[in-house]
Amino acid sequence: MLALTDLCMGFSTVPTVLGILLGFIQEVSLDSCIAQSYFIHGLSFMESSVLLAMAFDRYLTICNPLRYSSILTNDKIMKIGVAILCRSSLLTPPVIILLKFLNYCHPHILSHSFCLHQDLIRIACSDIRFNSNYALTLVISNLLLDAVLILISYIMILHTVLAIASWKERLKSLQTYVSHIWAVLVFYIPIIGLTMVHRFGKCLSPLVHVLMGNIYVIFPPMMNPIIYSIKTQQIRRRV
C-alpha cells in the first residue's frame, strides 16, 4: 500500500511539475486543479495511515510477539487496509467539492507547480470559513493524530527494548525499525516544512515555496524504495 500510494502521488503530480518546469504547461483548468488537489491530499492522508498501521505492526512484534499472529490475522489486515482506503478517500470530498463553487477573483497564480487546497482558497474571494475549519480538522484528526500515535508506539517499543539485558539484543531489535523511522521522517518533515512556509513564509521568495512544494510531493516517493531496499542483501547485490 505504501508503494502504491507513492506511485499514485507521482502519477498525479510529476507530469504537471515537469510540464511547468520545462515550459510546456502555462496554466491548468479549475476542474483539473480540484481533481489534483483531491488526489494529493487524499494520498497524503493514506500514506500517513499506512505508516501508522506499520507502526502498530512493529509495536506488536516487539511488545506482544507471542500473540502477533493471532492479533494480526489476514482478515484483520484486510480490514485495516479497507479502513485506510475509506479514511483517505471519503473524508476529503466535502471540502474539495466545495472548491468548485467558490469565486476566484484574486490573481490566479499558484504558489506551487501543482494544486493544493490551501492555495486555491487563498485566491478565492468567497466565504472560506468552512473550507479552512474543515481542512484544519482533517489535518488534526489525520496527520497530527497519526504522528502522535506513531510517537507513542515507538516510546512503548523503546521502553520494551531497554528492558532487554543485552546491548547486542537491544541494537538488533532497534535495527529492525530503522527503515520505518526513516520513512516516517521522510514523510512528515517535508509536510511540516511546507506548512511552516505557508504559515510564516509570506515574505519568502516564491522559489522557496516552489522548492518546498516539489520536495513534499517528490522526496518521499523517491526515498521510500531506497529506504526499504538498502538493507535487502539480494537488492544490494543486484544494484
Side-chain angles (χ1 to χ4, degrees):
M1 286 189 75
L2 184 65
L4 182 64
T5 305
D6 286 339
L7 283 171
C8 290
M9 180 69 85
F11 285 135
S12 63
T13 55
V14 170
T16 309
V17 173
L18 288 178
I20 289 172
L21 294 180
L22 296 175
F24 298 138
I25 300 174
Q26 298 297 327
E27 61 182 29
V28 59
S29 68
L30 179 61
D31 290 339
S32 300
C33 201
I34 291 172
Q36 189 179 55
S37 177
Y38 169 75
F39 282 112
I40 290 174
H41 293 294
L43 290 168
S44 295
F45 293 147
M46 184 172 174
E47 182 151 355
S48 176
S49 302
V50 171
L51 291 172
L52 175 60
M54 293 167 73
F56 177 65
D57 172 80
R58 279 144 181 77
Y59 162 76
L60 286 178
T61 307
I62 283 287
C63 300
N64 209 343
L66 298 179
R67 296 186 59 209
Y68 177 86
S69 57
S70 62
I71 294 174
L72 270 188
T73 61
N74 288 337
D75 184 52
K76 287 181 181 175
I77 290 172
M78 286 183 65
K79 287 179 180 177
I80 289 172
V82 171
I84 289 172
L85 285 171
C86 292
R87 184 193 192 202
S88 57
S89 61
L90 300 180
L91 292 178
T92 49
V95 72
I96 297 296
I97 291 171
L98 196 59
L99 292 172
K100 177 71 175 175
F101 303 99
L102 298 179
N103 294 318
Y104 300 94
C105 57
H106 299 298
H108 296 180
I109 301 173
L110 301 176
S111 304
H112 311 293
S113 42
F114 52 86
C115 297
L116 289 176
H117 171 264
Q118 54 264 41
D119 235 5
L120 287 169
I121 62 173
R122 181 180 57 82
I123 62 174
C125 47
S126 305
D127 185 359
I128 59 170
R129 283 176 297 179
F130 173 80
N131 286 67
S132 297
N133 295 332
Y134 189 89
L136 180 62
T137 303
L138 277 184
V139 169
I140 292 172
S141 62
N142 284 270
L143 299 180
L144 184 59
L145 179 62
D146 289 354
V148 170
L149 292 174
I150 290 171
L151 181 62
I152 291 171
S153 73
Y154 270 97
I155 290 172
M156 297 175 75
I157 287 171
L158 192 61
H159 180 265
T160 303
V161 168
L162 291 177
I164 300 173
S166 168
W167 270 100
K168 188 177 180 181
E169 289 298 323
R170 290 180 190 176
L171 289 174
K172 187 178 178 182
S173 298
L174 289 174
Q175 283 174 359
T176 311
Y177 307 100
V178 170
S179 297
H180 183 254
I181 292 171
W182 276 113
V184 170
L185 293 176
V186 160
F187 174 72
Y188 279 102
I189 289 176
I191 284 185
I192 293 169
L194 186 63
T195 304
M196 293 297 104
V197 166
H198 262 288
R199 288 287 179 184
F200 309 110
K202 292 180 174 61
C203 58
L204 293 175
S205 165
L207 182 63
V208 176
H209 288 263
V210 173
L211 181 62
M212 284 304 302
N214 290 343
I215 289 173
Y216 162 63
V217 298
I218 294 173
F219 191 63
M222 182 182 73
M223 291 303 298
N224 279 335
I226 298 172
I227 290 168
Y228 278 99
S229 64
I230 199 73
K231 291 180 68 179
T232 307
Q233 290 183 1
Q234 295 93 329
I235 294 177
R236 272 212 311 268
R237 201 178 302 123
R238 295 279 180 172
V239 171

